[in-house]
Amino acid sequence: MVASQVYVFDIDGVIRTFTPERMAARLDAELGLPVGVIEDAAFADPLGRDLVEGRMTRAEWVDELAEIVAGAARDADAARSIVAEWATDIGQLIPETLELIDELRQEHPVFALTNGTDRTTHELDTHGIADRFHRVLNSHEIGVAKPAPDCYARAHALIEQTLGSAVSPASVHFTDDLSANIEAAAQFGWRAVQFTDAAALRSSLAAELAS
């Protein structure tokens, strides 16, 4: 088995998580809508893909999302207010994943690969973790999002550019919480493991490094 030399982590769902339940009270009381309704609209195509592939800014995305939710709500102004509040959430870090990243980066290059926005770097700076990575590979800048095959090809080229040397795909270990992204990465040639929790990932990496 080829030992992984480069580690690539998804951000959302792996390094940070979100709690849509925090909007439950307002959604129910003011709009009579269930938890998850904003997320469903926000990440549906084409709106979600236009955001993460760089065809619109996050601010534009939030404005359009607010109008979509307002158009389906019994109180349009309340809907816009709720979406605006929802959009302020930059998530909560998963400390166990960051601990693992800190251990890995003592001996290995560590990258992030995210379906992100033009605000991703700012959000990581706000969390205080931007310097954890050799480079943040952001679909908003790459121009194509996971799980499209070209996303991995472009990300791999940027890894090689950053490190200044050729990198075998088999030497790249990729972690993502979505099965479609894992499958696409594996088809590209990366060694891909689906994230369930940091403890399971630690065990998987320990077994790999010991082999």
Side-chain angles (χ1 to χ4, degrees), residues 49-104:
R49 190 155 292 274
D50 283 346
L51 170 68
V52 299
E53 292 189 339
R55 291 184 290 276
M56 65 192 315
T57 66
R58 191 178 190 278
E60 292 168 339
W61 175 71
V62 171
D63 287 345
E64 188 164 337
L65 174 61
E67 294 310 309
I68 291 171
V69 178
R74 67 191 183 193
D75 185 333
D77 288 340
R80 295 185 185 97
S81 172
I82 290 169
V83 170
E85 180 183 345
W86 172 88
T88 65
D89 184 10
I90 64 169
Q92 304 82 44
L93 298 178
I94 302 175
E96 296 83 0
T97 304
L98 290 173
E99 180 180 333
L100 179 56
I101 287 172
D102 284 342
E103 293 171 13
L104 288 170

Side-chain angles (χ1 to χ4, degrees), residues 146-167:
K146 299 175 292 184
D150 201 33
C151 179
Y152 302 92
R154 296 185 190 187
H156 193 88
L158 289 172
I159 290 172
E160 293 183 320
Q161 179 190 90
T162 303
L163 298 180
S165 62
V167 175

